[in-house]
Amino acid sequence: MQLTQLTIDAARSAVQERKTTALALAEAHYARIQDEDEQIGAFLTLCKERALEQADRIDRMAAEGKPLPPLGGVPVGIKDVMSTRGVRTTAGSKILGHYIPPYDCTAVARMEAAGAMVLGKTNCDEFAMGSSNENSAFRPVHNPRDLSRVPGGSSGGSAAAVAADMAVVALGSDTGGSIRQPASFCGVVGLMPTYGRVSRYGLIAFASSLDHIGPLTKTVKDAAIVLRTIAGRDPMDATSADLPVPDYVAEIVKPVRGLRLGVAKEYFGEGLDGEVRHAVESAIDRLKSLGCEILQVSLPHTPYAIPAYYLIATAEASSNLARYDGVKFGLRVEGDSLDDMYEKTRAAGFGAEVRRRVLIGTYALSAGYYDAYYLKAQRVRTLIARDFAAAFERVDCILTPTAPSAAFAIGEKSDNPIAMYLNDVFTVPANLAGLPAISFPAGLSGDGLPLGLQITGRAFDEETVLRVAAVLEGAASFRHLPSFIAGA
Ligand code: GLN
């Protein structure tokens, strides 16, 4: 048994049946991290003691013949924007470079309560701002499929950890595509649940009305298992929905026959790579052959999604990041006066992209410009949500590319923020509308790089997006991309 290439169920049952131990699984993944992560850079902090304590708990349960919980003995990575009690949590920023939270993020606590072993914290763009992981204050992440490429961002460390078999599963966060786009670039599955489906308690806020926590996994079924684990009302997050959590794992095996799938014409304009278009077309053929009805839908306000997103997200970020003032959290650089201390602390602690966004957001919210920028962007947001609502009267979900191309080269867009922002063109609309969306591997580019497809669904209908992704995943038989390690 290759211990680092297991799905959740395979890992859990191997431990349950005593074919291996949780300890051996943890050790195998740490060995893999030891061997590979210097070149990839997926992890910022490891918490071996914590993982091994959990391993011991799980192994004792297995030894006593007790049924293991759903993630019993499963090694996981956690994006470093989720608070972990006693374990350094940086948000990829120097300003939190030494921050040790006193409590756990709800999603992390639920993963551990379900038996998962937290191996460590994964690298990300600073405060989750970015599409390439080059904005991490610590180091960039390299794409395990091709080390000269970016892994996508901002959950690049989580995607790379899963793609390189350094974790079975990782949690990420998605404000404008940060789970789905790295999943697409690294050839793994990434699910952004509906806004409110998963508690944000303990997530370091970027843009509170757009932030979602979700899984990055090797298979669609694993994404369903993790969602079932972390979803549901949390009294600590007033925006978490008080709705029953379906059994996603049971839902995904239901047939797709009779489902109506929408294809949005606005998503197939210029700038879209021919290979990506081809992957979408093959998926459409496959879905037709399985008895789905394919309908053309229109989402006319799509071209305004990027500008609206980059005003709303920066406005919220400028407010959320005000708390890093040298007093309440993390870094403090002394100055001659209070103002001087604030300035020195924030200048030393924040990287260029974070500063750019705080400036844009502060400007968009300023008294003179609020109506022209922030308010206008909020109106556009409503129009985008209405586009989806109209489309979902006719179809059950919408099929689009995840990103305009396969993973781009490290450095290719880092000097050009606008080019970087445009990479989010297909992912930000779902955040603005608060809808669930999944990216899963659906093809290979001519260079052998993974290409992702995205399925967006109605609010709180994760089961349909998972179900459609599951049948396509089987068809693409793309699950096990060749490992990036020579000879492996
Ligand atoms: N790439 C987008 C941004 O830079 C999305 C980031 C995210 O989803 N956290 O804002």
Side-chain angles (χ1 to χ4, degrees):
M1 188 171 22
Q2 182 40 276
L3 291 184
T4 56
Q5 286 176 7
L6 302 175
T7 59
I8 293 175
D9 279 350
R12 179 182 162 277
S13 27
V15 176
Q16 181 83 73
E17 290 156 20
R18 311 292 285 155
K19 293 189 182 130
T20 186
T21 59
L23 178 64
L25 279 171
E27 295 286 9
H29 284 82
Y30 278 122
R32 180 94 180 149
I33 293 168
Q34 175 78 35
D35 291 345
E36 304 305 332
D37 207 35
E38 203 175 301
Q39 43 176 352
I40 296 175
F43 282 91
L44 290 175
T45 307
L46 298 176
C47 46
K48 197 162 181 183
E49 212 178 300
R50 179 165 171 159
L52 296 192
E53 247 173 59
Q54 176 83 324
D56 188 51
R57 205 169 304 139
I58 296 297
D59 283 333
R60 270 187 281 124
M61 284 182 83
E64 289 163 17
K66 293 193 182 136
L68 296 184
L71 294 168
V74 174
V76 305
I78 303 290
K79 185 178 181 181
D80 211 17
V81 290
M82 279 166 249
S83 303
T84 38
R85 182 178 179 165
V87 176
R88 183 176 83 130
T89 300
T90 68
S93 182
K94 277 199 212 140
I95 213 156
L96 291 177
H98 302 284
Y99 173 58
I100 298 188
Y103 64 98
D104 279 322
C105 175
T106 297
V108 176
R110 288 185 179 176
M111 292 290 280
E112 284 187 318
M117 306 184 289
V118 174
L119 300 175
K121 308 298 293 290
T122 56
N123 203 348
C124 57
D125 285 304
E126 185 173 4
F127 287 102
M129 297 174 186
S131 310
S132 69
N133 231 290
E134 292 163 292
N135 297 337
S136 163
F138 300 100
R139 58 163 291 180
V141 179
H142 293 253
N143 189 318
R145 310 292 181 195
D146 173 346
L147 295 172
S148 70
R149 312 255 177 174
V150 303
S154 61
S155 313
S158 289
V162 174
D165 297 331
M166 296 188 284
V168 173
V169 168
L171 289 185
S173 68
D174 193 316
T175 306
S178 282
I179 290 176
R180 292 159 289 154
Q181 184 255 19
S184 176
F185 282 11
C186 291
V188 299
V189 175
L191 172 66
M192 175 178 77
T194 311
Y195 187 78
R197 183 55 104 183
V198 175
S199 166
R200 289 180 293 110
Y201 180 70
L203 171 68
I204 294 176
F206 163 9
S208 310
S209 79
L210 298 158
D211 293 343
H212 307 232
I213 291 176
L216 292 111
T217 57
K218 298 184 188 186
T219 67
V220 174
K221 184 177 179 191
D222 280 1
I225 296 172
V226 175
L227 181 61
R228 195 175 57 181
T229 305
I230 61 176
R233 172 77 186 161
D234 173 14
M236 301 304 279
D237 174 4
T239 65
S240 71
D242 197 2
L243 290 172
V245 176
D247 182 355
Y248 301 109
V249 181
E251 291 291 328
I252 56 170
V253 295
K254 291 190 180 158
V256 294
R257 176 168 297 281
L259 281 182
R260 289 165 307 165
L261 275 298
V263 178
K265 60 173 189 278
E266 289 80 6
Y267 281 61
F268 295 89
E270 55 182 287
L272 179 64
D273 229 75
E275 295 169 329
V276 179
R277 182 188 302 267
H278 177 73
V280 180
E281 284 162 0
S282 330
I284 291 174
D285 289 345
R286 171 77 184 160
L287 290 167
K288 275 190 194 153
S289 76
L290 291 167
C292 295
E293 196 182 334
I294 310 289
L295 298 172
Q296 200 174 93
V297 293
S298 175
L299 300 168
H301 295 94
T302 303
Y304 309 109
I306 293 260
Y309 167 81
Y310 276 95
L311 285 168
I312 296 168
T314 54
E316 292 187 18
S318 72
S319 160
N320 273 326
L321 270 55
R323 71 191 66 169
Y324 306 105
D325 59 0
V327 179
K328 304 184 196 70
F329 293 89
L331 184 75
R332 175 189 186 102
V333 180
E334 296 298 345
D336 299 335
S337 63
L338 183 63
D339 281 354
D340 193 40
M341 186 277 289
Y342 287 158
E343 278 174 30
K344 288 199 166 115
T345 298
R346 290 168 68 88
F350 288 146
E353 183 62 23
V354 172
R355 287 207 293 266
R356 172 163 31 243
R357 296 199 189 199
V358 169
L359 288 173
I360 297 172
T362 306
Y363 185 81
L365 288 177
S366 60
Y369 293 101
Y370 181 91
D371 291 359
Y373 293 113
Y374 183 71
L375 206 63
K376 187 70 128 307
Q378 288 290 20
R379 294 203 169 118
V380 172
R381 181 177 192 172
T382 302
L383 294 174
I384 288 168
R386 283 191 196 148
D387 281 357
F388 278 108
F392 285 128
E393 284 184 8
R394 298 178 54 224
V395 296
D396 300 302
C397 51
I398 297 172
L399 183 72
T400 66
T402 305
S405 67
F408 47 88
I410 292 179
E412 193 178 321
K413 298 187 201 277
S414 46
D415 299 335
N416 184 346
I418 303 283
M420 191 72 88
Y421 296 172
L422 287 173
N423 211 261
D424 303 332
V425 56
F426 301 139
T427 47
V428 296
N431 297 74
L432 290 168
L435 301 173
I438 195 169
S439 176
F440 60 96
L444 284 179
S445 75
D447 297 333
L449 293 167
L451 298 171
L453 284 193
Q454 173 174 242
I455 309 214
T456 307
R458 295 189 181 102
F460 298 103
D461 187 16
E462 287 84 2
E463 48 273 44
T464 303
V465 304
L466 285 162
R467 176 147 61 112
V468 174
V471 295
L472 289 169
E473 169 191 58
S477 63
F478 185 70
R479 234 170 247 180
H480 298 293
L481 272 165
S483 173
F484 65 97
I485 305 167

Short mmCIF file of all heavy atoms in Angstrom, two decimals, residues 79 128-131 153-154 173-179 206 309-310 357 424, ligand 1:
data_model
loop_
_atom_site.label_atom_id
_atom_site.label_comp_id
_atom_site.label_asym_id
_atom_site.label_seq_id
_atom_site.Cartn_x
_atom_site.Cartn_y
_atom_site.Cartn_z
N LYS A 79 -4.94 25.73 5.47
CA LYS A 79 -4.44 27.01 4.97
C LYS A 79 -4.15 27.93 6.15
O LYS A 79 -4.95 28.01 7.09
CB LYS A 79 -5.47 27.64 4.03
CG LYS A 79 -5.01 28.93 3.36
CD LYS A 79 -6.09 29.46 2.42
CE LYS A 79 -5.68 30.72 1.71
NZ LYS A 79 -6.76 31.21 0.81
N ALA A 128 -4.61 36.11 1.87
CA ALA A 128 -5.38 35.46 0.81
C ALA A 128 -5.59 36.37 -0.40
O ALA A 128 -6.54 36.19 -1.16
CB ALA A 128 -6.72 34.93 1.34
N MET A 129 -4.69 37.34 -0.57
CA MET A 129 -4.83 38.28 -1.70
C MET A 129 -3.87 37.87 -2.81
O MET A 129 -2.67 38.16 -2.75
CB MET A 129 -4.52 39.70 -1.24
CG MET A 129 -5.50 40.19 -0.21
SD MET A 129 -5.02 41.78 0.42
CE MET A 129 -6.23 42.00 1.72
N GLY A 130 -4.40 37.21 -3.82
CA GLY A 130 -3.55 36.85 -4.93
C GLY A 130 -4.08 35.66 -5.69
O GLY A 130 -5.02 34.99 -5.25
N SER A 131 -3.49 35.42 -6.86
CA SER A 131 -3.93 34.33 -7.72
C SER A 131 -2.76 33.44 -8.10
O SER A 131 -2.85 32.64 -9.03
CB SER A 131 -4.55 34.88 -8.99
OG SER A 131 -5.52 35.85 -8.69
N GLY A 153 -3.56 30.69 -6.71
CA GLY A 153 -3.65 31.27 -5.38
C GLY A 153 -5.06 31.69 -5.06
O GLY A 153 -5.92 31.60 -5.94
N SER A 154 -5.35 32.03 -3.87
CA SER A 154 -4.36 32.18 -2.83
C SER A 154 -4.11 30.90 -2.04
O SER A 154 -3.14 30.82 -1.29
CB SER A 154 -4.79 33.28 -1.86
OG SER A 154 -6.03 32.94 -1.24
N SER A 173 -9.44 28.68 1.58
CA SER A 173 -10.49 29.69 1.66
C SER A 173 -10.61 30.34 0.29
O SER A 173 -9.65 30.38 -0.47
CB SER A 173 -10.18 30.73 2.73
OG SER A 173 -9.06 31.50 2.33
N ASP A 174 -11.82 30.80 -0.02
CA ASP A 174 -12.12 31.30 -1.36
C ASP A 174 -12.93 32.58 -1.24
O ASP A 174 -14.05 32.58 -0.75
CB ASP A 174 -12.92 30.21 -2.11
CG ASP A 174 -13.02 30.46 -3.61
OD1 ASP A 174 -13.28 31.61 -4.00
OD2 ASP A 174 -12.86 29.49 -4.38
N THR A 175 -12.32 33.69 -1.67
CA THR A 175 -12.96 35.00 -1.61
C THR A 175 -13.33 35.45 -3.02
O THR A 175 -14.30 36.18 -3.23
CB THR A 175 -12.00 36.01 -0.94
OG1 THR A 175 -11.62 35.48 0.32
CG2 THR A 175 -12.64 37.37 -0.75
N GLY A 176 -12.50 34.98 -3.99
CA GLY A 176 -12.76 35.33 -5.39
C GLY A 176 -12.26 34.22 -6.31
O GLY A 176 -12.06 34.45 -7.50
N GLY A 177 -12.02 33.04 -5.75
CA GLY A 177 -11.54 31.93 -6.58
C GLY A 177 -10.41 31.13 -5.95
O GLY A 177 -9.90 30.18 -6.54
N SER A 178 -10.03 31.50 -4.75
CA SER A 178 -8.80 30.97 -4.16
C SER A 178 -8.80 29.50 -3.78
O SER A 178 -7.75 28.97 -3.42
CB SER A 178 -8.42 31.78 -2.93
OG SER A 178 -7.83 32.97 -3.33
N ILE A 179 -9.94 28.83 -3.84
CA ILE A 179 -9.92 27.37 -3.73
C ILE A 179 -9.92 26.78 -5.13
O ILE A 179 -9.15 25.88 -5.47
CB ILE A 179 -11.14 26.84 -2.94
CG1 ILE A 179 -11.03 27.22 -1.46
CG2 ILE A 179 -11.27 25.32 -3.10
CD1 ILE A 179 -12.24 26.84 -0.62
N PHE A 206 -10.56 38.37 5.18
CA PHE A 206 -10.09 39.19 4.05
C PHE A 206 -11.26 40.10 3.68
O PHE A 206 -11.25 41.30 3.96
CB PHE A 206 -9.62 38.25 2.93
CG PHE A 206 -9.46 38.84 1.56
CD1 PHE A 206 -9.54 40.20 1.31
CD2 PHE A 206 -9.18 37.99 0.48
CE1 PHE A 206 -9.38 40.71 0.02
CE2 PHE A 206 -9.02 38.50 -0.80
CZ PHE A 206 -9.14 39.85 -1.04
N TYR A 309 -15.86 43.15 -7.98
CA TYR A 309 -15.17 42.36 -6.95
C TYR A 309 -13.99 43.13 -6.37
O TYR A 309 -13.81 43.17 -5.15
CB TYR A 309 -14.70 41.02 -7.54
CG TYR A 309 -13.73 40.30 -6.64
CD1 TYR A 309 -14.20 39.55 -5.56
CD2 TYR A 309 -12.35 40.40 -6.81
CE1 TYR A 309 -13.31 38.90 -4.70
CE2 TYR A 309 -11.47 39.77 -5.96
CZ TYR A 309 -11.95 39.02 -4.91
OH TYR A 309 -11.07 38.40 -4.05
N TYR A 310 -13.17 43.73 -7.24
CA TYR A 310 -11.96 44.37 -6.73
C TYR A 310 -12.24 45.68 -6.02
O TYR A 310 -11.37 46.24 -5.36
CB TYR A 310 -10.89 44.49 -7.82
CG TYR A 310 -10.11 43.19 -7.91
CD1 TYR A 310 -10.44 42.21 -8.84
CD2 TYR A 310 -9.10 42.91 -6.99
CE1 TYR A 310 -9.76 40.99 -8.87
CE2 TYR A 310 -8.41 41.70 -7.02
CZ TYR A 310 -8.74 40.75 -7.96
OH TYR A 310 -8.06 39.56 -7.97
N ARG A 357 -4.12 47.13 -1.83
CA ARG A 357 -5.56 46.90 -1.64
C ARG A 357 -6.13 47.75 -0.53
O ARG A 357 -7.26 48.21 -0.62
CB ARG A 357 -5.80 45.42 -1.39
CG ARG A 357 -5.41 44.62 -2.62
CD ARG A 357 -6.04 43.28 -2.61
NE ARG A 357 -5.49 42.46 -3.68
CZ ARG A 357 -6.08 41.39 -4.14
NH1 ARG A 357 -7.22 40.99 -3.63
NH2 ARG A 357 -5.53 40.69 -5.10
N ASP A 424 -9.08 35.88 -12.52
CA ASP A 424 -10.22 35.51 -11.68
C ASP A 424 -11.56 35.68 -12.38
O ASP A 424 -12.61 35.58 -11.74
CB ASP A 424 -10.24 36.39 -10.41
CG ASP A 424 -8.95 36.30 -9.63
OD1 ASP A 424 -8.29 35.26 -9.71
OD2 ASP A 424 -8.60 37.28 -8.94
N1 GLN B 1 -7.40 36.11 -6.64
C1 GLN B 1 -8.43 36.82 -5.92
C2 GLN B 1 -7.81 37.98 -5.17
O1 GLN B 1 -6.66 38.17 -5.30
C3 GLN B 1 -9.14 35.90 -5.01
C4 GLN B 1 -8.45 35.66 -3.74
C5 GLN B 1 -9.24 34.75 -2.85
O2 GLN B 1 -10.18 34.08 -3.27
N2 GLN B 1 -8.87 34.76 -1.59
O3 GLN B 1 -8.48 38.69 -4.49
#
